[in-house]
Amino acid sequence: MKTLRDIALLYRRSFVQTFRVPVWLAISFSTPLLYLALFTPLLKSLPGGSEFPPGVNVLEIFLPGILALMAFMSGASAGFSTIFELQAGYTERIRVTPASRLALLIGPILSSLTWTFFFMTMIVVVAEPFGFPIHIAGLLIAYVLLALLMVLFASFSIAVALLTKEINSFAAVVNGINLPLLLLAGILLPLELGPAWMRVIGHFNPLYYVVEADRLLAAGHLWNTTIVEGFLVMVPLTALAVVWATRVYRRAVS
Amino acid sequence: MNTNGQPVLEAHDLTKTFHTRKEKIEAVRGIDMEIWPGEIFGFLGPNGAGKTTTLRMLSTLLPIESGRAMVSGFDVYKSPHQVRQRIGYVSQLGGSDRLATGREDLLLQGELYGMGRREAEQRADELIEVLDLAEFASRRVQSYSGGQRRRLDIALGIMHRPDVLFLDEPTTGLDPQNRANLWVQISKLREAGTTIFLTTHYLEEADALSNRLAIMDHGQLVAEGTSRQLKQQIAADSVVVSLQEDGAGSEGAMRLLQEQDFVREVSAEPDHLRLYVDDGVTALPRILRLLDRNGMAIKTVTLSEPTLDDVFLRYTGRSLRDAGHPLD
Ligand SMILES: Nc1ncnc2c1ncn2[C@@H]1O[C@H](COP(=O)(O)OP(=O)(O)O)[C@@H](O)[C@H]1O
Ligand SMILES: [Mg+2]
């Protein structure tokens, strides 16, 4: 099928080009490592450490959050390349070809997703000797959920880039949305540690559902309502974002 | 290729208005045009005339607001997919992929147009030869000079052998040497039978490259024809005379020349007089004799045939040389 072939072609382009920006690779890997190395010790000596269930390694709470953060950030920053490609004329060139509009969007996203999976796995492997228990089945399902998260925010980010067309407005919109979403998702620490009103607001944040489900999955739970909720929220939202961003590619980017 | 005497491209009453918060910009106001197989058709106009907007509508990038455009028999609005398969478009910005090598970029382009890998490789090698890219095709585009990048952009535009190639300001930003080089490349494409629609704000470029051209100003085509036809419509040569003494002397000369019936018009410019005459060759000796007899010493005199700038001046009341900014 034409669309699949176009996706593969554009996937390959992005994937290969990632190797050509070694700085990007280094930073993508070192950022989550830094979080692990410099944030976990703080958690351990938290005075309210008693809030954590006894016998639970802090990493079990914290690492799934880092994984979600990686998927989220990789998605949200997808639009930066789009801005550069727009300004280099590449986007127009590619829009004049008969390539499938869905492929224009999803090819590069799937390439970033592959890299994100790779770094997530590295982080898990690094954390294991420090006491993070690996539950393979749970992690695999968590990857699927995090993939949805990544594709959702990448589509959103790319659509915003195509509509704003320049770096300042794009960065303003994306950062303006990222920060509240991140803070109200309990991504670094569970919202359960916060006051009730935070939890209430959190329920309007799709990221919250992902993080909650992701923690359970990483702990080896495979089936419960929180996990189902996570998917029920993410599947339609992601589909919607992909459809919207594809439409933006199809319509005027004038 | 279209061979049955049909135009490759037809547009009727094309318009486009941009709505910004503050104002309404009528970028294109009713354009009619046809492009025939094998020709280079040029749009000449200052910056802001609406050239890019027209091109973007014809190439499916911008929805057509009203009017109709057909490419190789397909309606641009109704069948964008078929149209894309048949056109090549090189934007003002280029469009090559900075992190790819030239060759990789050509292969991607070919494959996106549905070529198999082998076919794309053959075609890429062919174009590397034709457009003289061999020296740098295996380097990353990032490292190319402006002229090299432009040549790659054009190769990308014709990778799939389009029925018509759109070139938006192909030499803007290039130094004179690279510009001349690109003109040679574009002329070679024409000789190979490629149909090209190009826009430019350089008179010399329109003159040198196009078989037929249209002058565009404020969203409208104000004149159309071959460069020769357009110049003949002006039907006047110009003679520029500068006298030994200016001021009073040149005023006297101006009055004297205006009285002659073979002189259509005289205008005083900073340090010379410009005369429009029907036929420069017969007028010149008469002017010389007349001034000499009246004791007005001539410093220099030049005779020139009308240029496209004269044509532009005639239809818009402005000179193209100062109508827009030379470079954006
Ligand atoms: N996306 C846009 N939004 C608003 N105005 C635009 C847009 N694109 C072009 N214009 C305006 O339309 C007019 C024609 O522009 P353009 O087609 O780029 O001219 P040219 O290519 O001849 O220099 C200009 O006044 C320009 O400012
Ligand atoms: Mg332009």
Side-chain angles (χ1 to χ4, degrees):
Chain A
M1 274 178 59
K2 175 106 176 64
T3 303
L4 286 181
R5 182 165 182 268
D6 290 345
I7 291 177
L9 288 168
L10 293 166
Y11 176 96
R12 192 182 60 200
R13 162 188 175 263
S14 299
F15 191 81
V16 167
Q17 290 191 359
T18 311
F19 288 106
R20 299 184 184 173
V21 195
V23 187
W24 183 88
L25 284 176
I27 291 182
S28 305
F29 189 46
S30 61
T31 307
L33 274 186
L34 279 176
Y35 268 106
L36 275 185
L38 303 178
F39 207 83
T40 331
L42 292 178
L43 292 179
K44 281 195 174 134
S45 46
L46 213 60
S50 53
E51 302 270 5
F52 294 113
V56 166
N57 187 323
V58 199
L59 274 177
E60 281 184 67
I61 306 284
F62 188 56
L63 194 122
I66 296 281
L67 297 183
L69 186 68
M70 289 169 79
F72 175 77
M73 291 312 287
S74 144
S77 59
F80 281 101
S81 330
T82 310
I83 294 276
F84 293 121
E85 289 172 355
L86 263 175
Q87 287 170 353
Y90 171 82
T91 309
E92 284 215 328
R93 160 191 156 199
I94 218 86
R95 281 184 65 232
V96 176
T97 71
S100 137
R101 310 291 108 163
L102 176 64
L104 301 187
L105 175 77
I106 215 79
I109 291 182
L110 292 181
S111 158
S112 311
L113 182 64
T114 311
W115 284 103
T116 306
F117 277 169
F118 171 72
F119 291 128
M120 278 164 45
T121 308
M122 298 294 283
I123 294 293
V124 168
V125 169
V126 168
E128 200 262 352
F130 295 94
F132 177 72
I134 297 183
H135 303 279
I136 293 281
L139 268 184
L140 285 180
I141 300 174
Y143 272 33
V144 175
L145 190 63
L146 294 180
L148 289 171
L149 175 70
M150 192 271 172
V151 175
L152 165 63
F153 280 95
S155 303
F156 173 77
S157 173
I158 288 173
V160 170
L162 290 172
L163 292 171
T164 55
K165 299 182 206 53
E166 54 92 31
I167 198 95
N168 292 313
S169 336
F170 167 73
V173 174
V174 168
N175 289 336
I177 291 175
N178 282 0
L179 197 63
L181 283 181
L182 278 177
L183 292 177
L184 289 170
I187 219 164
L188 294 180
L189 293 169
L191 279 192
E192 279 71 38
L193 299 180
W197 62 265
M198 277 187 99
R199 256 167 289 154
V200 172
I201 302 181
H203 280 87
F204 293 97
N205 180 359
L207 196 53
Y208 169 80
Y209 295 90
V210 176
V211 173
E212 292 288 298
D214 174 41
R215 284 217 169 88
L216 289 171
L217 286 164
H221 302 276
L222 297 184
W223 182 254
N224 81 23
T225 33
T226 308
I227 294 169
V228 174
E229 262 173 24
F231 279 92
L232 282 181
V233 169
M234 289 313 290
V235 170
L237 271 183
T238 306
L240 216 65
V242 169
V243 169
W244 177 53
T246 306
R247 273 174 70 101
V248 174
Y249 256 117
R250 182 169 293 134
R251 303 253 148 171
V253 180
S254 47
Chain B
M1 267 288 205
N2 226 312
T3 49
N4 52 357
Q6 291 283 324
V8 181
L9 186 152
E10 280 178 82
H12 300 290
D13 205 19
L14 224 49
T15 62
K16 182 76 198 180
T17 307
F18 291 109
H19 300 269
T20 64
R21 233 160 291 158
K22 283 192 221 104
E23 49 180 345
K24 214 172 81 178
I25 303 166
E26 294 181 69
V28 176
R29 304 187 293 162
I31 282 195
D32 290 281
M33 58 184 279
E34 280 174 353
I35 298 179
W36 299 87
E39 74 172 343
I40 298 193
F41 182 71
F43 258 17
L44 173 66
N47 280 316
K51 306 183 295 296
T52 300
T53 305
T54 308
L55 231 56
R56 297 181 73 228
M57 279 194 283
L58 294 176
S59 57
T60 77
L61 286 169
L62 205 58
I64 291 177
E65 178 183 291
S66 77
R68 214 163 103 90
M70 307 283 288
V71 171
S72 300
F74 290 98
D75 189 306
V76 175
Y77 187 81
K78 290 183 199 141
S79 322
H81 195 80
Q82 280 83 349
V83 168
R84 287 185 190 122
Q85 195 70 48
R86 288 165 179 80
I87 59 167
Y89 172 78
V90 179
S91 88
Q92 239 164 314
L93 296 167
S96 43
D97 193 1
R98 304 293 149 105
L99 285 174
T101 70
R103 193 159 189 281
E104 283 172 348
D105 212 9
L106 287 169
L107 295 181
L108 174 69
Q109 184 83 347
E111 291 182 282
L112 287 177
Y113 276 101
M115 291 183 186
R117 186 75 178 178
R118 283 285 295 282
E119 191 189 353
E121 278 172 351
Q122 269 171 17
R123 177 66 175 158
D125 291 337
E126 196 178 310
L127 289 178
I128 287 171
E129 171 91 32
V130 172
L131 283 154
D132 214 1
L133 313 176
E135 198 189 311
F136 48 85
S138 53
R139 277 205 330 246
R140 287 193 206 157
V141 174
Q142 263 171 340
S143 67
Y144 290 9
S145 74
Q148 293 172 334
R149 186 137 74 210
R150 238 35 195 124
R151 264 140 70 197
L152 173 64
D153 291 336
I154 292 178
L156 289 167
I158 54 174
M159 187 67 191
H160 59 295
R161 299 187 178 84
D163 289 353
V164 54
L165 171 66
F166 298 135
L167 292 178
D168 198 9
E169 308 254 3
T171 68
T172 296
L174 294 186
D175 58 54
Q177 197 193 337
N178 274 311
R179 170 168 310 148
N181 178 299
L182 203 69
W183 285 2
V184 173
Q185 305 288 358
I186 293 175
S187 303
K188 279 203 308 199
L189 295 183
R190 173 176 53 190
E191 275 146 36
T194 316
T195 309
I196 299 176
F197 176 20
L198 69 83
T199 74
T200 181
H201 63 264
Y202 296 115
L203 299 158
E204 298 80 4
E205 189 157 291
D207 223 352
L209 292 178
S210 38
N211 304 98
R212 208 157 54 80
L213 59 100
I215 292 181
M216 185 168 203
D217 192 38
H218 295 306
Q220 286 176 316
L221 299 186
V222 294
E224 194 199 306
T226 64
S227 167
R228 238 181 97 179
Q229 286 168 343
L230 289 173
K231 289 171 189 169
Q232 272 169 0
Q233 284 168 15
I234 301 279
D237 293 338
S238 66
V239 178
V240 173
V241 183
S242 66
L243 297 171
Q244 293 287 7
E245 48 181 319
D246 344 323
S250 72
E251 257 174 57
M254 187 163 164
R255 222 171 308 123
L256 185 65
L257 290 165
Q258 264 165 345
E259 287 165 8
Q260 308 304 314
D261 54 7
F262 66 92
V263 176
R264 285 221 223 146
E265 205 184 320
V266 185
S267 58
E269 287 170 20
D271 46 41
H272 56 254
L273 296 173
R274 181 182 293 272
L275 290 71
Y276 289 99
V277 296
D278 294 327
D279 179 10
V281 177
T282 60
L284 199 54
R286 299 174 72 179
I287 295 169
L288 295 179
R289 232 176 296 134
L290 188 72
L291 292 174
D292 190 42
R293 216 182 300 138
N294 286 274
M296 294 165 179
I298 295 170
K299 193 157 63 180
T300 59
V301 61
T302 48
L303 168 66
S304 56
E305 292 180 351
T307 64
L308 282 178
D309 200 24
D310 297 316
V311 178
F312 189 81
L313 183 68
R314 151 89 171 270
Y315 285 105
T316 67
R318 288 169 299 136
S319 165
L320 186 59
R321 299 208 189 273
D322 45 50
H325 320 277
L327 294 176
D328 9 349

